[in-house]
PDB file of all heavy atoms in Angstrom:
ATOM      1  N   VAL A   1     -16.956 -44.739  30.376  1.00  0.00           N
ATOM      2  CA  VAL A   1     -17.373 -46.085  30.031  1.00  0.00           C
ATOM      3  C   VAL A   1     -16.729 -47.032  31.038  1.00  0.00           C
ATOM      4  O   VAL A   1     -15.513 -46.988  31.240  1.00  0.00           O
ATOM      5  CB  VAL A   1     -16.977 -46.467  28.597  1.00  0.00           C
ATOM      6  CG1 VAL A   1     -17.369 -47.913  28.300  1.00  0.00           C
ATOM      7  CG2 VAL A   1     -17.637 -45.525  27.599  1.00  0.00           C
ATOM      8  N   TYR A   2     -17.538 -47.867  31.656  1.00  0.00           N
ATOM      9  CA  TYR A   2     -17.067 -48.789  32.679  1.00  0.00           C
ATOM     10  C   TYR A   2     -16.990 -50.201  32.112  1.00  0.00           C
ATOM     11  O   TYR A   2     -17.914 -50.672  31.448  1.00  0.00           O
ATOM     12  CB  TYR A   2     -17.997 -48.761  33.891  1.00  0.00           C
ATOM     13  CG  TYR A   2     -17.818 -47.521  34.730  1.00  0.00           C
ATOM     14  CD1 TYR A   2     -18.247 -46.291  34.272  1.00  0.00           C
ATOM     15  CD2 TYR A   2     -17.189 -47.580  35.978  1.00  0.00           C
ATOM     16  CE1 TYR A   2     -18.060 -45.140  35.026  1.00  0.00           C
ATOM     17  CE2 TYR A   2     -17.004 -46.444  36.741  1.00  0.00           C
ATOM     18  CZ  TYR A   2     -17.441 -45.224  36.264  1.00  0.00           C
ATOM     19  OH  TYR A   2     -17.260 -44.089  37.022  1.00  0.00           O
ATOM     20  N   TYR A   3     -15.876 -50.874  32.401  1.00  0.00           N
ATOM     21  CA  TYR A   3     -15.617 -52.218  31.911  1.00  0.00           C
ATOM     22  C   TYR A   3     -15.352 -53.171  33.071  1.00  0.00           C
ATOM     23  O   TYR A   3     -14.655 -52.812  34.021  1.00  0.00           O
ATOM     24  CB  TYR A   3     -14.377 -52.248  31.009  1.00  0.00           C
ATOM     25  CG  TYR A   3     -14.457 -51.395  29.775  1.00  0.00           C
ATOM     26  CD1 TYR A   3     -14.103 -50.054  29.810  1.00  0.00           C
ATOM     27  CD2 TYR A   3     -14.858 -51.944  28.563  1.00  0.00           C
ATOM     28  CE1 TYR A   3     -14.160 -49.270  28.670  1.00  0.00           C
ATOM     29  CE2 TYR A   3     -14.915 -51.169  27.421  1.00  0.00           C
ATOM     30  CZ  TYR A   3     -14.565 -49.836  27.485  1.00  0.00           C
ATOM     31  OH  TYR A   3     -14.617 -49.069  26.345  1.00  0.00           O
ATOM     32  N   CYS A   4     -15.858 -54.384  32.984  1.00  0.00           N
ATOM     33  CA  CYS A   4     -15.421 -55.422  33.901  1.00  0.00           C
ATOM     34  C   CYS A   4     -14.365 -56.273  33.212  1.00  0.00           C
ATOM     35  O   CYS A   4     -14.313 -56.359  31.981  1.00  0.00           O
ATOM     36  CB  CYS A   4     -16.576 -56.284  34.406  1.00  0.00           C
ATOM     37  SG  CYS A   4     -17.382 -57.310  33.167  1.00  0.00           S
ATOM     38  N   ALA A   5     -13.505 -56.880  34.012  1.00  0.00           N
ATOM     39  CA  ALA A   5     -12.402 -57.657  33.477  1.00  0.00           C
ATOM     40  C   ALA A   5     -12.098 -58.824  34.399  1.00  0.00           C
ATOM     41  O   ALA A   5     -12.298 -58.743  35.608  1.00  0.00           O
ATOM     42  CB  ALA A   5     -11.158 -56.778  33.314  1.00  0.00           C
ATOM     43  N   ALA A   6     -11.594 -59.900  33.816  1.00  0.00           N
ATOM     44  CA  ALA A   6     -11.237 -61.107  34.551  1.00  0.00           C
ATOM     45  C   ALA A   6      -9.764 -61.408  34.379  1.00  0.00           C
ATOM     46  O   ALA A   6      -9.221 -61.296  33.273  1.00  0.00           O
ATOM     47  CB  ALA A   6     -12.073 -62.286  34.069  1.00  0.00           C
ATOM     48  N   LYS A   7      -9.130 -61.800  35.458  1.00  0.00           N
ATOM     49  CA  LYS A   7      -7.718 -62.159  35.480  1.00  0.00           C
ATOM     50  C   LYS A   7      -7.590 -63.574  35.988  1.00  0.00           C
ATOM     51  O   LYS A   7      -8.089 -63.886  37.077  1.00  0.00           O
ATOM     52  CB  LYS A   7      -6.950 -61.196  36.380  1.00  0.00           C
ATOM     53  CG  LYS A   7      -5.494 -61.571  36.629  1.00  0.00           C
ATOM     54  CD  LYS A   7      -4.843 -60.601  37.606  1.00  0.00           C
ATOM     55  CE  LYS A   7      -3.429 -61.036  37.949  1.00  0.00           C
ATOM     56  NZ  LYS A   7      -3.448 -62.307  38.728  1.00  0.00           N
ATOM     57  N   THR A   8      -6.935 -64.424  35.241  1.00  0.00           N
ATOM     58  CA  THR A   8      -6.754 -65.809  35.644  1.00  0.00           C
ATOM     59  C   THR A   8      -5.948 -65.887  36.934  1.00  0.00           C
ATOM     60  O   THR A   8      -4.897 -65.262  37.059  1.00  0.00           O
ATOM     61  CB  THR A   8      -6.045 -66.602  34.540  1.00  0.00           C
ATOM     62  OG1 THR A   8      -6.809 -66.515  33.330  1.00  0.00           O
ATOM     63  CG2 THR A   8      -5.892 -68.058  34.928  1.00  0.00           C
ATOM     64  N   GLY A   9      -6.468 -66.624  37.897  1.00  0.00           N
ATOM     65  CA  GLY A   9      -5.782 -66.785  39.167  1.00  0.00           C
ATOM     66  C   GLY A   9      -6.488 -66.069  40.298  1.00  0.00           C
ATOM     67  O   GLY A   9      -7.436 -65.306  40.094  1.00  0.00           O
ATOM     68  N   ALA A  10      -6.005 -66.283  41.502  1.00  0.00           N
ATOM     69  CA  ALA A  10      -6.684 -65.805  42.695  1.00  0.00           C
ATOM     70  C   ALA A  10      -6.412 -64.343  43.007  1.00  0.00           C
ATOM     71  O   ALA A  10      -7.279 -63.666  43.578  1.00  0.00           O
ATOM     72  CB  ALA A  10      -6.297 -66.663  43.901  1.00  0.00           C
ATOM     73  N   PHE A  11      -5.226 -63.845  42.653  1.00  0.00           N
ATOM     74  CA  PHE A  11      -4.811 -62.521  43.088  1.00  0.00           C
ATOM     75  C   PHE A  11      -5.232 -61.457  42.103  1.00  0.00           C
ATOM     76  O   PHE A  11      -5.046 -61.591  40.893  1.00  0.00           O
ATOM     77  CB  PHE A  11      -3.300 -62.480  43.308  1.00  0.00           C
ATOM     78  CG  PHE A  11      -2.830 -63.350  44.437  1.00  0.00           C
ATOM     79  CD1 PHE A  11      -2.133 -64.513  44.188  1.00  0.00           C
ATOM     80  CD2 PHE A  11      -3.096 -62.997  45.744  1.00  0.00           C
ATOM     81  CE1 PHE A  11      -1.705 -65.315  45.222  1.00  0.00           C
ATOM     82  CE2 PHE A  11      -2.671 -63.796  46.795  1.00  0.00           C
ATOM     83  CZ  PHE A  11      -1.976 -64.959  46.533  1.00  0.00           C
ATOM     84  N   ALA A  12      -5.765 -60.364  42.631  1.00  0.00           N
ATOM     85  CA  ALA A  12      -6.209 -59.248  41.815  1.00  0.00           C
ATOM     86  C   ALA A  12      -5.051 -58.326  41.467  1.00  0.00           C
ATOM     87  O   ALA A  12      -4.010 -58.324  42.119  1.00  0.00           O
ATOM     88  CB  ALA A  12      -7.292 -58.472  42.554  1.00  0.00           C
ATOM     89  N   SER A  13      -5.256 -57.516  40.427  1.00  0.00           N
ATOM     90  CA  SER A  13      -4.238 -56.584  39.965  1.00  0.00           C
ATOM     91  C   SER A  13      -4.899 -55.328  39.440  1.00  0.00           C
ATOM     92  O   SER A  13      -5.975 -55.383  38.840  1.00  0.00           O
ATOM     93  CB  SER A  13      -3.391 -57.221  38.862  1.00  0.00           C
ATOM     94  OG  SER A  13      -2.510 -56.278  38.287  1.00  0.00           O
ATOM     95  N   VAL A  14      -4.235 -54.186  39.635  1.00  0.00           N
ATOM     96  CA  VAL A  14      -4.737 -52.920  39.109  1.00  0.00           C
ATOM     97  C   VAL A  14      -4.329 -52.696  37.662  1.00  0.00           C
ATOM     98  O   VAL A  14      -4.804 -51.749  37.028  1.00  0.00           O
ATOM     99  CB  VAL A  14      -4.266 -51.721  39.957  1.00  0.00           C
ATOM    100  CG1 VAL A  14      -4.698 -51.883  41.404  1.00  0.00           C
ATOM    101  CG2 VAL A  14      -2.748 -51.553  39.866  1.00  0.00           C
ATOM    102  N   ALA A  15      -3.467 -53.532  37.118  1.00  0.00           N
ATOM    103  CA  ALA A  15      -2.948 -53.350  35.771  1.00  0.00           C
ATOM    104  C   ALA A  15      -3.912 -53.923  34.745  1.00  0.00           C
ATOM    105  O   ALA A  15      -4.227 -55.116  34.773  1.00  0.00           O
ATOM    106  CB  ALA A  15      -1.582 -54.002  35.631  1.00  0.00           C
ATOM    107  N   ALA A  16      -4.355 -53.088  33.821  1.00  0.00           N
ATOM    108  CA  ALA A  16      -5.244 -53.561  32.773  1.00  0.00           C
ATOM    109  C   ALA A  16      -4.611 -54.691  31.971  1.00  0.00           C
ATOM    110  O   ALA A  16      -5.289 -55.640  31.575  1.00  0.00           O
ATOM    111  CB  ALA A  16      -5.629 -52.401  31.855  1.00  0.00           C
ATOM    112  N   SER A  17      -3.302 -54.603  31.750  1.00  0.00           N
ATOM    113  CA  SER A  17      -2.615 -55.593  30.939  1.00  0.00           C
ATOM    114  C   SER A  17      -2.566 -56.971  31.584  1.00  0.00           C
ATOM    115  O   SER A  17      -2.267 -57.951  30.898  1.00  0.00           O
ATOM    116  CB  SER A  17      -1.189 -55.122  30.630  1.00  0.00           C
ATOM    117  OG  SER A  17      -0.443 -54.956  31.824  1.00  0.00           O
ATOM    118  N   SER A  18      -2.843 -57.060  32.864  1.00  0.00           N
ATOM    119  CA  SER A  18      -2.850 -58.347  33.555  1.00  0.00           C
ATOM    120  C   SER A  18      -4.140 -59.132  33.341  1.00  0.00           C
ATOM    121  O   SER A  18      -4.214 -60.297  33.728  1.00  0.00           O
ATOM    122  CB  SER A  18      -2.642 -58.146  35.056  1.00  0.00           C
ATOM    123  OG  SER A  18      -1.356 -57.613  35.332  1.00  0.00           O
ATOM    124  N   HIS A  19      -5.128 -58.518  32.734  1.00  0.00           N
ATOM    125  CA  HIS A  19      -6.437 -59.141  32.603  1.00  0.00           C
ATOM    126  C   HIS A  19      -6.616 -59.816  31.252  1.00  0.00           C
ATOM    127  O   HIS A  19      -6.158 -59.306  30.222  1.00  0.00           O
ATOM    128  CB  HIS A  19      -7.531 -58.105  32.855  1.00  0.00           C
ATOM    129  CG  HIS A  19      -7.546 -57.650  34.279  1.00  0.00           C
ATOM    130  ND1 HIS A  19      -6.646 -56.733  34.765  1.00  0.00           N
ATOM    131  CD2 HIS A  19      -8.321 -58.018  35.324  1.00  0.00           C
ATOM    132  CE1 HIS A  19      -6.870 -56.549  36.058  1.00  0.00           C
ATOM    133  NE2 HIS A  19      -7.880 -57.323  36.423  1.00  0.00           N
ATOM    134  N   ASP A  20      -7.261 -60.960  31.289  1.00  0.00           N
ATOM    135  CA  ASP A  20      -7.356 -61.828  30.129  1.00  0.00           C
ATOM    136  C   ASP A  20      -8.660 -61.684  29.355  1.00  0.00           C
ATOM    137  O   ASP A  20      -8.700 -61.966  28.153  1.00  0.00           O
ATOM    138  CB  ASP A  20      -7.194 -63.286  30.565  1.00  0.00           C
ATOM    139  CG  ASP A  20      -5.904 -63.523  31.313  1.00  0.00           C
ATOM    140  OD1 ASP A  20      -4.827 -63.257  30.737  1.00  0.00           O
ATOM    141  OD2 ASP A  20      -5.963 -63.967  32.481  1.00  0.00           O
ATOM    142  N   PHE A  21      -9.723 -61.255  30.028  1.00  0.00           N
ATOM    143  CA  PHE A  21     -11.034 -61.170  29.401  1.00  0.00           C
ATOM    144  C   PHE A  21     -11.711 -59.878  29.802  1.00  0.00           C
ATOM    145  O   PHE A  21     -11.600 -59.437  30.951  1.00  0.00           O
ATOM    146  CB  PHE A  21     -11.914 -62.367  29.805  1.00  0.00           C
ATOM    147  CG  PHE A  21     -11.270 -63.689  29.545  1.00  0.00           C
ATOM    148  CD1 PHE A  21     -10.663 -64.390  30.567  1.00  0.00           C
ATOM    149  CD2 PHE A  21     -11.262 -64.231  28.271  1.00  0.00           C
ATOM    150  CE1 PHE A  21     -10.051 -65.613  30.331  1.00  0.00           C
ATOM    151  CE2 PHE A  21     -10.652 -65.449  28.016  1.00  0.00           C
ATOM    152  CZ  PHE A  21     -10.048 -66.141  29.051  1.00  0.00           C
ATOM    153  N   TRP A  22     -12.435 -59.298  28.852  1.00  0.00           N
ATOM    154  CA  TRP A  22     -13.066 -58.000  29.051  1.00  0.00           C
ATOM    155  C   TRP A  22     -14.505 -58.003  28.562  1.00  0.00           C
ATOM    156  O   TRP A  22     -14.840 -58.665  27.584  1.00  0.00           O
ATOM    157  CB  TRP A  22     -12.307 -56.906  28.294  1.00  0.00           C
ATOM    158  CG  TRP A  22     -10.944 -56.651  28.828  1.00  0.00           C
ATOM    159  CD1 TRP A  22      -9.802 -57.338  28.543  1.00  0.00           C
ATOM    160  CD2 TRP A  22     -10.569 -55.629  29.755  1.00  0.00           C
ATOM    161  NE1 TRP A  22      -8.740 -56.809  29.236  1.00  0.00           N
ATOM    162  CE2 TRP A  22      -9.181 -55.758  29.983  1.00  0.00           C
ATOM    163  CE3 TRP A  22     -11.273 -54.614  30.402  1.00  0.00           C
ATOM    164  CZ2 TRP A  22      -8.488 -54.916  30.844  1.00  0.00           C
ATOM    165  CZ3 TRP A  22     -10.584 -53.775  31.253  1.00  0.00           C
ATOM    166  CH2 TRP A  22      -9.211 -53.927  31.467  1.00  0.00           C
ATOM    167  N   GLY A  23     -15.342 -57.229  29.253  1.00  0.00           N
ATOM    168  CA  GLY A  23     -16.680 -56.985  28.771  1.00  0.00           C
ATOM    169  C   GLY A  23     -16.691 -55.894  27.722  1.00  0.00           C
ATOM    170  O   GLY A  23     -15.659 -55.309  27.374  1.00  0.00           O
ATOM    171  N   GLN A  24     -17.876 -55.604  27.196  1.00  0.00           N
ATOM    172  CA  GLN A  24     -18.014 -54.632  26.116  1.00  0.00           C
ATOM    173  C   GLN A  24     -18.088 -53.192  26.609  1.00  0.00           C
ATOM    174  O   GLN A  24     -17.951 -52.265  25.806  1.00  0.00           O
ATOM    175  CB  GLN A  24     -19.267 -54.950  25.284  1.00  0.00           C
ATOM    176  CG  GLN A  24     -20.582 -54.405  25.836  1.00  0.00           C
ATOM    177  CD  GLN A  24     -21.097 -55.144  27.066  1.00  0.00           C
ATOM    178  OE1 GLN A  24     -20.558 -56.162  27.480  1.00  0.00           O
ATOM    179  NE2 GLN A  24     -22.169 -54.617  27.655  1.00  0.00           N
ATOM    180  N   GLY A  25     -18.298 -52.996  27.885  1.00  0.00           N
ATOM    181  CA  GLY A  25     -18.389 -51.675  28.465  1.00  0.00           C
ATOM    182  C   GLY A  25     -19.818 -51.180  28.577  1.00  0.00           C
ATOM    183  O   GLY A  25     -20.685 -51.540  27.785  1.00  0.00           O
ATOM    184  N   THR A  26     -20.057 -50.334  29.573  1.00  0.00           N
ATOM    185  CA  THR A  26     -21.356 -49.706  29.754  1.00  0.00           C
ATOM    186  C   THR A  26     -21.149 -48.247  30.144  1.00  0.00           C
ATOM    187  O   THR A  26     -20.303 -47.925  30.969  1.00  0.00           O
ATOM    188  CB  THR A  26     -22.204 -50.458  30.800  1.00  0.00           C
ATOM    189  OG1 THR A  26     -23.521 -49.900  30.853  1.00  0.00           O
ATOM    190  CG2 THR A  26     -21.577 -50.414  32.187  1.00  0.00           C
ATOM    191  N   GLN A  27     -21.920 -47.355  29.528  1.00  0.00           N
ATOM    192  CA  GLN A  27     -21.745 -45.921  29.728  1.00  0.00           C
ATOM    193  C   GLN A  27     -22.413 -45.467  31.020  1.00  0.00           C
ATOM    194  O   GLN A  27     -23.571 -45.803  31.292  1.00  0.00           O
ATOM    195  CB  GLN A  27     -22.337 -45.145  28.550  1.00  0.00           C
ATOM    196  CG  GLN A  27     -22.283 -43.628  28.704  1.00  0.00           C
ATOM    197  CD  GLN A  27     -20.892 -43.064  28.573  1.00  0.00           C
ATOM    198  OE1 GLN A  27     -20.157 -43.440  27.662  1.00  0.00           O
ATOM    199  NE2 GLN A  27     -20.512 -42.179  29.490  1.00  0.00           N
ATOM    200  N   VAL A  28     -21.681 -44.684  31.803  1.00  0.00           N
ATOM    201  CA  VAL A  28     -22.221 -44.006  32.977  1.00  0.00           C
ATOM    202  C   VAL A  28     -22.042 -42.511  32.766  1.00  0.00           C
ATOM    203  O   VAL A  28     -20.926 -42.047  32.526  1.00  0.00           O
ATOM    204  CB  VAL A  28     -21.518 -44.452  34.270  1.00  0.00           C
ATOM    205  CG1 VAL A  28     -21.951 -43.579  35.451  1.00  0.00           C
ATOM    206  CG2 VAL A  28     -21.809 -45.917  34.545  1.00  0.00           C
ATOM    207  N   THR A  29     -23.136 -41.762  32.847  1.00  0.00           N
ATOM    208  CA  THR A  29     -23.099 -40.317  32.674  1.00  0.00           C
ATOM    209  C   THR A  29     -23.727 -39.654  33.890  1.00  0.00           C
ATOM    210  O   THR A  29     -24.860 -39.980  34.258  1.00  0.00           O
ATOM    211  CB  THR A  29     -23.845 -39.896  31.404  1.00  0.00           C
ATOM    212  OG1 THR A  29     -23.264 -40.534  30.271  1.00  0.00           O
ATOM    213  CG2 THR A  29     -23.775 -38.386  31.219  1.00  0.00           C
TER     214      THR A  29
END
């Protein structure tokens, strides 16, 4: 299941916990 996420601010992060908003997910098989 693939999710998009948004993190406040300009710099990206690999940490899921750094992200403030998440989509519902979409299945890839």
Side-chain angles (χ1 to χ4, degrees):
V1 177
Y2 285 71
Y3 299 86
C4 67
K7 172 184 175 293
T8 302
F11 294 108
S13 173
V14 303
S17 61
S18 295
H19 292 79
D20 304 301
F21 306 100
W22 293 83
Q24 84 287 353
T26 186
Q27 176 72 46
V28 171
T29 302

